[in-house]
């Protein structure tokens, strides 16, 4: 496959997944912001999300205060934010258009229609009236894109690069979503203990994991088990280990003469998750572990670009 074609497919998938995961992250904060809390605590939750998304400085250049409405607007449609949901869905469509001949008609139509429908929804005020409804729509369109891809495309290199992009992005975003909650958790006093169930339940629902948690653990929701589910369970579709399973498998399908070190890096990260124990991770520090994981995923993405895709301009 031509490296330019692979590049467009890889980034089409990454941008689609990024839009979905931004919607998931925002929905966590929308749900938890409804709980009784001070304005300072609410602002800290939104600020933690901006920080872990590496958007704090960009936000501060445009907004003087941190509040839910401003953060949602910034992360959904602000033209100055290249990581907004609107920007991601636009880039996904543009990458799909560039390789229209490689995609099935159904895959292209999903990307194109999602972009057109998003503009109508934002113009109709759904984001102001019911942000959770808009976030659910973004998630649904991403699900539809993945399903149509697997249901209509030949299982060749095109699909492998799409899957690579999807699961590298999902691993990155699952780590960020998890870190947002742990990063913002402070002072586990009585009031905090009373609210914990609602916070963790919102987090699990944001990654479609609430029912899965109940099925696996059949007990109260605890932070350690949430972390274990989202990091170390291979049977949890959005866990870090499940994502790395897919990354390793798809790298193996597209390997070339340059990719041995990239495969080794992916294999090592996969093995650490496969044989890791949540007690050891918590003892070492979950935030530090997730921060290191994000750095390594970023490096892995760079190596995939170097080995397979169009090189960045010098």
């Amino acid at each position: 496959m031509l490296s330019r074609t692979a590049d467009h497919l890889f980034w089409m998938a990454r941008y689609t997944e990024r839009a979905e995961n931004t919607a998931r992250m925002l929905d966590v904060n929308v749900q938890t912001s409804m709980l009784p809390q001070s304005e300072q605590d609410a602002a800290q939750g939104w600020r933690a999300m901006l920080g872990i998304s590496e958007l704090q400085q960009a936000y501060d250049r445009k907004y003087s205060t941190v509040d839910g409405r401003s953060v949602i607007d910034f992360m959904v449609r602000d033209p100055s934010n290249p990581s907004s949901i609107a920007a991601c869905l636009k880039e996904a469509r543009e990458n799909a258009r560039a390789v229209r001949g490689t995609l099935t008609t159904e895959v292209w139509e999903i990307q194109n229609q999602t972009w057109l429908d998003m503009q109508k929804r934002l113009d109709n005020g759904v984001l102001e009236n019911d942000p959770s409804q808009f976030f659910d729509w973004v998630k649904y369109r991403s699900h539809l894109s993945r399903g149509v891809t697997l249901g209509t495309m030949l299982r060749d290199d095109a699909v492998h690069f799409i899957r690579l992009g999807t699961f590298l992005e999902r691993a990155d975003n699952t780590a960020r979503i998890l870190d947002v909650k742990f990063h913002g958790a402070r002072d586990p006093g009585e009031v905090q203990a009373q609210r914990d169930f609602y916070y963790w339940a919102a987090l699990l629902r944001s990654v479609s994991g609430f029912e899965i948690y109940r099925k696996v653990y059949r007990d109260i929701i605890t932070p350690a088990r949430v972390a274990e589910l989202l990091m170390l369970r291979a049977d949890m579709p959005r866990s870090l280990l499940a994502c790395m399973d897919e990354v390793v498998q798809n790298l193996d399908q597209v390997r070339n003469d340059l990719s041995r070190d990239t495969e080794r890096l992916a294999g090592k990260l996969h093995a650490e998750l496969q044989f890791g124990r949540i007690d050891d991770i918590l003892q070492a520090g979950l935030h530090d572990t997730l921060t290191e994981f994000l750095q390594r995923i970023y490096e892995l993405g760079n190596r995939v670009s170097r080995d397979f895709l169009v090189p960045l301009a010098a």
Side-chain angles (χ1 to χ4, degrees), residues 3 20 97 121 132 189 214 223 226 280 286 295:
S3 62
E20 177 186 350
R97 186 171 63 85
R121 287 174 179 270
S132 289
R214 289 300 196 196
V226 171
D280 296 335
L286 184 63
Q295 292 170 348

Side-chain angles (χ1 to χ4, degrees), residues 10-19 165-166 168-169 172 301:
F10 178 81
W11 283 105
M12 177 193 75
R14 287 204 73 155
Y15 279 120
T16 300
E17 185 72 20
R18 188 173 300 176
T166 294
L168 280 172
E169 189 67 32
D172 179 280

Side-chain angles (χ1 to χ4, degrees), residues 247-287:
V247 169
V248 168
Q249 291 172 25
N250 284 282
L251 268 177
D252 182 65
Q253 294 296 318
V254 298
R255 69 196 325 174
N256 61 26
D257 294 339
L258 302 175
S259 63
R260 180 170 297 179
D261 285 344
T262 301
E263 293 176 68
R264 185 180 294 112
L265 176 63
K268 183 177 180 182
L269 187 52
H270 176 259
E272 289 175 6
L273 291 167
Q274 185 176 15
F275 299 106
R277 297 176 66 251
I278 194 60
D279 291 341
D280 296 335
I281 291 173
L282 294 177
Q283 185 175 2
L286 184 63
H287 177 65

